[in-house]
Amino acid sequence: MRIFYDTEFLDDGQTIDLISIGLVAEDGRELYAVSSGFDVARVHQHAWLMENVWPSLPTFKHPSTMRCHCGPGHLDTDHPDVRPRAQIARAVADFILDTPDPHLWAYFAAYDHVALAQLWGPMSNLPAGIPMQTDDLVTEAKRLGLSPRDLPQQADGHHNALADARHNLTRALHMDSITAARE
């Protein structure tokens, strides 16, 4: 069974720091988690992440809703989606291992797979049963003679890991229909 996922992360050229992950299985199960351990200060210094990823995270958006006097726009670590990395690693492992014959799929999958695998540390720590690679929806589109413009476009929710994972499923189903029509 296919699992479609997406991650949001801070990449500095040496490390990939997971911000959030969303997974959607073909049977309808979903998982969304935001790391409580990513470097918020570095994200605040990254214009693209602040413009594209930060708005979709559970944050204190107004001083009157904050439990601290640290300024607006801080991560709400009490939100149920915000979890320590170890807890996210357990939840992701359970989600994948509860899936019969899991196949991971992502859009431009290389960094997503590294961010996923690093939940358990180095690649050698990947739990048994977690796929060691992620299939790439972009590669599948190319195999079908499609460009990214030929795939369904995402109307909203860009760079929210769960919304992007749901859209990855939409892309895959579109490609499935093209494959079926050709057969």
Side-chain angles (χ1 to χ4, degrees), residues 3 28 30-31 39 46 55 59 62 65 67 75 81 92 101 111 121-122 124 127 131 137 153-154 169 175 178 181-182:
I3 297 171
E30 296 184 344
L31 174 66
D39 191 335
H46 194 289
T59 60
H62 188 275
T65 62
R67 292 175 196 72
L75 189 66
D81 291 335
V92 169
D101 191 25
Y111 276 67
S124 59
L137 290 162
Q153 299 303 302
Q154 188 170 348
L169 171 59
M175 288 186 276
I178 290 171
R182 292 178 180 175

Side-chain angles (χ1 to χ4, degrees), residues 2 4 26 168-178:
R2 296 180 297 183
F4 300 92
E26 286 183 293
N168 287 343
L169 171 59
T170 299
R171 289 175 174 134
L173 294 175
H174 176 76
M175 288 186 276
D176 291 350
S177 69
I178 290 171

Side-chain angles (χ1 to χ4, degrees), residues 16-128:
I16 297 174
D17 191 9
L18 180 73
I19 296 171
S20 61
I21 186 168
L23 298 98
V24 176
E26 286 183 293
D27 62 8
R29 290 176 301 121
E30 296 184 344
L31 174 66
Y32 177 65
V34 176
S35 174
S36 62
F38 70 89
D39 191 335
V40 173
R42 288 183 59 219
V43 169
H44 279 248
Q45 296 169 359
H46 194 289
W48 188 92
L49 289 173
M50 286 304 294
E51 182 178 335
N52 294 286
V53 175
W54 188 259
S56 72
L57 300 177
T59 60
F60 296 111
K61 301 203 184 337
H62 188 275
S64 67
T65 62
M66 294 175 17
R67 292 175 196 72
C68 68
H69 300 291
C70 44
H74 280 67
L75 189 66
D76 181 357
T77 56
D78 292 330
H79 191 281
D81 291 335
V82 179
R83 308 172 190 182
R85 284 179 61 93
Q87 190 179 86
I88 294 171
R90 283 190 303 277
V92 169
D94 290 346
F95 188 93
I96 293 171
L97 297 174
D98 286 346
T99 305
D101 191 25
H103 295 267
L104 301 176
W105 284 85
Y107 191 75
F108 289 103
Y111 276 67
D112 290 305
H113 189 78
V114 172
L116 173 104
Q118 286 183 344
L119 282 170
W120 300 281
M123 187 68 108
S124 59
N125 287 357
L126 202 65

